[in-house]
Amino acid sequence: MAATNASGTTTVRYGGMRAHVLALEVVLPGGRVIRTGSRARKSSAGYDLTALFVGSEGTLGVLTELTLRVHGIPEHAVAVRISFPTLDAACGTAVAAAGAGLGVTRLELLDAETMRAVNAFNGTALEESPSLFVELAGAPAAVEGDLEALQELAEENTSFAVERDPTARARLWQARHNVLHALVAAYPGKEHFATDVCVPVSQLPAAIAHARAELDRAGVEATIAAHAGDGNYHVLFMLDPADPAELARARALNAAIVDWALEHGGTCTGEHGVGLGKIAYLVHEHGDLLELMRGVKALFDPNGIMNPGKVLPEPAGAPG
Amino acid sequence: MAATNASGTTTVRYGGMRAHVLALEVVLPGGRVIRTGSRARKSSAGYDLTALFVGSEGTLGVLTELTLRVHGIPEHAVAVRISFPTLDAACGTAVAAAGAGLGVTRLELLDAETMRAVNAFNGTALEESPSLFVELAGAPAAVEGDLEALQELAEENTSFAVERDPTARARLWQARHNVLHALVAAYPGKEHFATDVCVPVSQLPAAIAHARAELDRAGVEATIAAHAGDGNYHVLFMLDPADPAELARARALNAAIVDWALEHGGTCTGEHGVGLGKIAYLVHEHGDLLELMRGVKALFDPNGIMNPGKVLPEPAGAPG
């Protein structure tokens, strides 16, 4: 389920989606069809089962219909690409822009390595340095005022490109949209493995500096992209599938990155979900909630037939 | 728990609050203390227990700490009071303003009867006709542009008062803040009883026209106030506590109002919650969810000691 929020072009899960999902049709494991929520913007009618299903990764029921709250297309929008001499300068500007009350509708960060891959893939000549991609939207006068404020906040920039025409804006955003394709093309034969922590936005510069330092210390090649407006960032490892040591190193780095995020008020997964790969991190983050979560799972899916084995760890002493 | 959203000065429950509650500390019925959520803006780490507790009306656990996402004070704001010749004109303008992409941060409707009570209570001489109270906030140029747009949308207005100075803005809003006190003073010895349906915003004019017609048909005195930006409105009955027939009439009208809301995609309670008084409406609205809601209740509060008897109906056949 895709949505555009402060994190822009990404697919977001329930942390970002909940406010936009008004109602659901769900098929329960026994085949019964239920409807949660309503088309009203708010409701206090009983427990919020809509929120419980959104982000449950198919483990409680099958979502067959979603009613979303939609928003009008803004009257005016500009797309901005800003280059910085350092990752820290880009992160600092992102935090300032996210907190300044500007009409920021997308706020994305790509590191220098990602920009290099994007240039190679798209045949472009963009500055290969840490870059922010920003969308400002709203009334024309407000957008132009916000643009001036953004330029002041980005005082360390080495380039500041603004596009107003819809076609040019789409071209500017294409660099961001193509990131995964660009990285796959830049590392032929490799497989990608991504971290997904989300931290309080104010912690983003320190979080990314920590991740970058850990990567450098381990001598591991990886790129960093952030949905900076949400404090959500991904370290993307491109791994040789024939070398299990590479995956082991990436996993160890991911563990260090998750530990740092949890120590600083964050979460192990901003949008990708738990699945199988983050069950141990969920235990670390919400160990005190596992009993309740298991109870919810047993209530909705007593026979354990919905996406079995995902999200929650097997109870201690259980087979397998 | 109070919050300022599109519905302005009101206390909103989980429909409006969920997006603002990042984390909770909760004491479970057995005494165990748990923490849900994190300080990150989004998370996909397991089931959304934060959303399950918010709006559960004390039936699942005691909330002892809330971590809220806060928003900066806007650079500029104006307060606007607009009078209309008819309730329908006021409602129509509210729907248009809510959907026009303006920077509307509060959007409240009071009917003529309420305005009369407010004047008597505050010693003011405001126009005693259906009125909108609107706050526009954001960058100065955007706010002034939005104000022009609002004036165009409110073309049927009979007065359009704008305040920019913080003291004058607070005075303008005082009329809205004092509504309940004003009505209690206007009907000495009476007790108030309020409906709380919320409908899709586009349905608000028809919903309020229906309610007004039902009230007139029954010859019952009651006032109407709406958090118009949310599609949430209250019919406020002032009842003689010594006359049970008055309460019975109000209850019958409430039932008709709830029926209309549910037929038009709405909910029986936008923000007041279910408590005891709306259990029958919850059954009407979400009968297919009761079994799951009861299961959630039994999971979190197996001994039924948390706010017993509230929100959920007794199971069929259970002792009364």
Side-chain angles (χ1 to χ4, degrees), chain B residues 172-198:
Chain B
L172 188 149
W173 279 105
Q174 204 182 13
R176 175 64 193 83
H177 294 314
N178 283 346
V179 160
L180 195 58
H181 301 298
L183 288 168
V184 168
Y187 298 87
K190 301 269 182 145
E191 286 182 1
H192 63 273
F193 171 90
T195 72
D196 178 39
V197 299
C198 187

Side-chain angles (χ1 to χ4, degrees), chain B residues 108-181:
Chain B
E108 298 284 312
L109 169 78
L110 300 182
D111 71 358
E113 295 69 27
T114 306
M115 292 301 291
R116 261 194 289 284
V118 163
N119 271 339
F121 186 73
N122 291 341
T124 48
L126 306 177
E127 199 174 314
E128 292 179 350
S129 56
S131 303
L132 291 180
F133 291 73
V134 188
E135 181 177 77
L136 298 169
V143 171
E144 297 303 322
D146 286 351
L147 190 58
E148 276 180 45
L150 179 63
Q151 199 147 14
E152 279 179 43
L153 295 174
E155 56 181 350
E156 292 182 69
N157 81 78
T158 53
S159 76
F160 192 98
V162 181
E163 299 291 357
R164 288 182 174 76
D165 169 75
T167 309
R169 276 159 41 202
R171 199 164 49 230
L172 188 149
W173 279 105
Q174 204 182 13
R176 175 64 193 83
H177 294 314
N178 283 346
V179 160
L180 195 58
H181 301 298

Side-chain angles (χ1 to χ4, degrees), chain A residues 5-7 10-16 18-19 28 32-49 51-57 59-60 69 72 98-99 139 141-142 146 196 198-203 227 229-232 264-274 282 285-289 291-297 299-300 310-312, chain B residues 5-7 10-16 18-19 28 32-49 51-57 59-60 69 72 98-99 139 141-142 146 196 198-203 227 229-232 264-274 282 285-289 291-297 299-300 310-312:
Chain A
N5 69 347
S7 72
T10 186
T11 299
V12 291
R13 298 293 277 280
Y14 71 105
R18 177 61 195 97
L28 296 177
R32 195 159 70 83
V33 179
I34 58 169
R35 289 190 164 272
T36 71
S38 75
R39 281 168 50 225
R41 280 196 189 181
K42 63 186 189 186
S43 174
S44 305
Y47 304 141
D48 191 351
L49 300 187
L52 206 53
F53 281 111
V54 175
S56 65
E57 305 185 26
T59 62
L60 302 180
R69 178 175 173 188
D146 286 352
D196 178 40
C198 187
V199 295
V201 176
S202 59
Q203 296 287 342
H227 312 305
D230 287 341
N232 182 208
H264 292 81
T267 178
C268 68
T269 174
E271 59 186 21
H272 292 177
V274 174
L282 177 69
E285 182 172 343
H286 288 310
D288 59 338
L289 304 180
E291 193 188 324
L292 288 171
M293 290 188 187
R294 279 208 189 94
V296 168
K297 168 72 175 175
L299 172 67
F300 284 74
K310 304 291 168 58
V311 181
L312 295 171
Chain B
N5 69 345
S7 71
T10 187
T11 299
V12 291
R13 299 291 279 280
Y14 70 105
R18 177 60 195 97
L28 296 177
R32 196 158 68 84
V33 180
I34 57 168
R35 289 191 164 271
T36 70
S38 75
R39 284 168 49 225
R41 280 194 189 183
K42 63 184 190 187
S43 174
S44 304
Y47 303 142
D48 190 351
L49 300 188
L52 205 55
F53 280 111
V54 175
S56 63
E57 304 187 27
T59 63
L60 302 181
R69 178 175 171 187
D146 286 351
D196 178 39
C198 187
V199 295
V201 176
S202 60
Q203 296 288 343
H227 312 304
D230 288 341
N232 181 208
H264 292 80
T267 177
C268 67
T269 175
E271 57 186 23
H272 292 175
V274 175
L282 177 69
E285 182 172 343
H286 289 309
D288 59 336
L289 305 181
E291 191 189 324
L292 287 173
M293 289 188 188
R294 278 208 190 93
V296 168
K297 167 74 174 174
L299 171 67
F300 284 74
K310 304 292 168 56
V311 181
L312 296 172

